[in-house]
Amino acid sequence: NAGVTQTPKFRVLKTGQSMTLLCAQDMNHEYMYWYRQDPGMGLRLIHYSVGEGTTAKGEVPDGYNVSRLKKQNFLLGLESAAPSQTSVYFCASSYLWVYEQYFGPGTRLTVT
Amino acid sequence: EDKVVQSPLSLVVHEGDTVTLNCSYEVTNFRSLLWYKQEKKAPTFLFMLTSSGIEKKSGRLSSILDKKELFSILNITATQTGDSAVYLCAVEAAGNDMRFGAGTRLTVKP
């Protein structure tokens, strides 16, 4: 039982490049979330999903896209990376909406 | 605009001390307040509070919510070095809105 895993753990991008972050959970959770964490700002919700095939915008969705084609996976895409997207990205999942979310280990992304 | 404010931003105590962390909020259509502990990487869930005045307790940690005054406190008694972490408060509001505070960094010295 791996819980929530994220790949990659670290990535450096140049401005304008694209990439996809993968989140996988093995707990059969319906709800999945992508957050970003910046110093002094806590966690901010980027996008979330309430079930396979569904996605919705959170507090800071601009510049990101997501997909949930399989229940266990939630992908976060950056089409054209910008330095403002330098952050630590966390994926989480839960059985009920926001209750007892399980977080992945995070991906540290630097955009130069 | 919805906001969640935690205080203090950082706190240094010695083992055995009792600490109180604060979380105040201003959100539209409040649903619940959650506390998380973040050590080195991923946050881990501590409590979810939805009703005023009902204390949630787990070992040396406890938390209570005041929906009239719009705040919650997290108490840690007999602190240990393993309690050193950033404690995050989050508020869930209607419309699937979820806002986190900036966190309180607690350092417990031996």
Side-chain angles (χ1 to χ4, degrees):
Chain A
N1 191 340
V4 180
T5 58
Q6 292 182 231
T7 53
K9 290 184 170 52
F10 304 94
R11 186 72 186 268
V12 179
L13 286 179
K14 293 187 188 302
T15 298
Q17 287 184 320
S18 63
M19 77 164 293
T20 300
L21 282 68
L22 171 63
C23 175
Q25 53 97 2
D26 60 4
M27 295 171 282
N28 202 34
H29 286 165
E30 289 293 335
Y31 300 92
M32 296 188 75
Y33 319 79
W34 275 106
Y35 293 94
R36 60 179 288 174
Q37 187 172 36
D38 302 297
M41 297 192 72
L43 289 159
R44 289 184 291 170
L45 183 63
I46 305 171
H47 285 279
Y48 63 91
S49 168
V50 301
E52 180 178 316
T54 74
T55 62
K57 294 179 180 179
E59 182 187 355
V60 289
D62 293 344
Y64 305 96
N65 57 75
V66 287
S67 64
R68 184 130 180 241
L69 299 179
K70 293 184 178 180
K71 186 176 184 179
Q72 63 269 33
N73 295 336
F74 196 27
L75 278 64
L76 178 72
L78 286 73
E79 290 185 346
S80 180
S84 61
Q85 294 178 305
T86 293
S87 190
V88 178
Y89 291 85
F90 287 100
C91 175
S93 72
S94 63
Y95 181 66
L96 298 174
W97 172 249
V98 305
Y99 178 68
E100 201 167 2
Q101 292 179 69
Y102 288 82
F103 283 80
T107 295
R108 184 173 293 277
L109 174 66
T110 302
V111 183
T112 61
Chain B
E1 184 182 322
D2 293 349
K3 61 180 181 181
V4 178
V5 178
Q6 293 187 243
S7 62
L9 289 180
S10 66
L11 190 57
V12 180
V13 300
H14 287 92
E15 273 192 317
D17 288 348
T18 293
V19 298
T20 298
L21 310 182
N22 301 287
C23 176
S24 64
Y25 62 90
E26 290 181 28
V27 299
T28 306
N29 296 322
F30 171 91
R31 283 190 177 168
S32 67
L33 185 144
L34 303 99
W35 284 98
Y36 285 84
K37 177 182 182 182
Q38 186 174 23
E39 295 182 75
K40 291 190 177 178
K41 287 190 176 180
T44 54
F45 173 80
L46 295 175
F47 300 112
M48 182 182 202
L49 304 118
T50 56
S51 301
S52 278
I54 298 175
E55 185 183 53
K56 291 284 183 87
K57 197 169 172 67
S58 175
R60 296 176 294 102
L61 277 66
S62 63
S63 183
I64 198 161
L65 174 67
D66 186 328
K67 290 167 72 174
K68 182 179 178 184
E69 300 298 330
L70 309 183
F71 76 94
S72 172
I73 59 172
L74 175 68
N75 281 320
I76 308 175
T77 60
T79 51
Q80 303 170 357
T81 55
D83 295 326
S84 294
V86 174
Y87 290 84
L88 299 170
C89 169
V91 173
E92 178 211 357
N96 291 347
D97 190 19
M98 183 81 172
R99 301 292 172 115
F100 278 78
T104 293
R105 180 175 296 280
L106 173 66
T107 303
V108 182
K109 293 189 172 183

